[in-house]
Amino acid sequence: MVHAQFDNTARQALAVKAVDAKIRKDLSWQRIADAAGLSVAFVTAAVLGQHPLPTASAEAVAALLDLDADDTLTLQTIPTRGSIPGGIPTDPTIYRFYEMLQVYGTTLKALVHEQLGDGIISAINFKLDVKKVADPEGGERAVITLDGKYLPTKPF
């Protein structure tokens, strides 16, 4: 049976426990995703409390991180999503995403609507990828791909 949570406290506590185990075992998110058999972005989000994992994936992640049966079950529940508490984020990395949306949010909205029409980009039917690439001017660049299904607004 599928179960949903109404409070994210249990998922937050599990995320802390899982990240502690990840650090203790010196594992990468990619290694955990490989065990789960799913994408690194999805598994990372799931372990951090934003998605449920399918049973086999939850069991594999729990085994890798030495989590117990209750944790395995919790990994499978539908969470109350949202990982940033109210207000402006203070973590510098998260803040930069907030800043990008402050600067480019209306541009993204205008371009999405012009090219696709009135609707939204799904964060449920969604893929995320992060890649490090060389910067021709020296150093490195981050290429972040947000790939969400377009859902048109339907009159009713």
Side-chain angles (χ1 to χ4, degrees):
M1 172 177 271
V2 176
H3 294 282
Q5 295 172 323
F6 70 93
D7 177 7
N8 64 358
T9 305
R11 288 304 287 263
Q12 288 175 339
L14 177 53
V16 170
K17 184 176 179 181
V19 170
D20 286 346
K22 174 190 175 291
I23 293 167
R24 226 179 17 264
K25 292 174 151 267
D26 194 28
L27 298 170
S28 67
W29 286 114
Q30 185 63 60
R31 172 67 184 93
I32 297 168
D34 290 345
L38 298 168
S39 77
V40 66
F42 188 87
V43 172
T44 303
V47 172
L48 295 178
Q50 299 304 306
H51 295 302
L53 286 174
T55 301
S57 297
E59 289 170 351
V61 168
L64 183 63
L65 297 176
D66 296 325
L67 301 175
D68 63 28
D70 287 340
D71 296 331
T72 305
L73 184 60
T74 300
L75 283 170
Q76 296 172 68
T77 60
I78 299 168
T80 298
R81 292 177 172 96
S83 61
I84 302 172
I88 297 171
T90 57
D91 176 85
T93 303
I94 296 172
Y95 176 79
R96 293 299 174 216
F97 285 101
Y98 173 80
E99 178 184 46
M100 288 176 217
L101 285 175
Q102 287 293 332
V103 174
Y104 292 104
T106 53
T107 300
L108 290 167
K109 177 180 171 45
L111 294 172
V112 164
H113 292 316
E114 181 176 287
Q115 294 177 28
L116 299 168
D118 185 14
I120 62 168
I121 308 292
S122 174
I124 301 301
N125 190 338
F126 187 80
K127 296 176 184 172
L128 168 68
D129 189 40
V130 178
K131 286 189 171 47
K132 177 173 68 171
V133 298
D135 186 336
E137 298 174 8
E140 298 168 331
R141 299 186 68 82
V143 176
I144 300 168
T145 303
L146 307 173
D147 179 355
K149 181 176 178 76
Y150 176 72
L151 303 171
T153 299
K154 294 182 181 179
F156 57 95

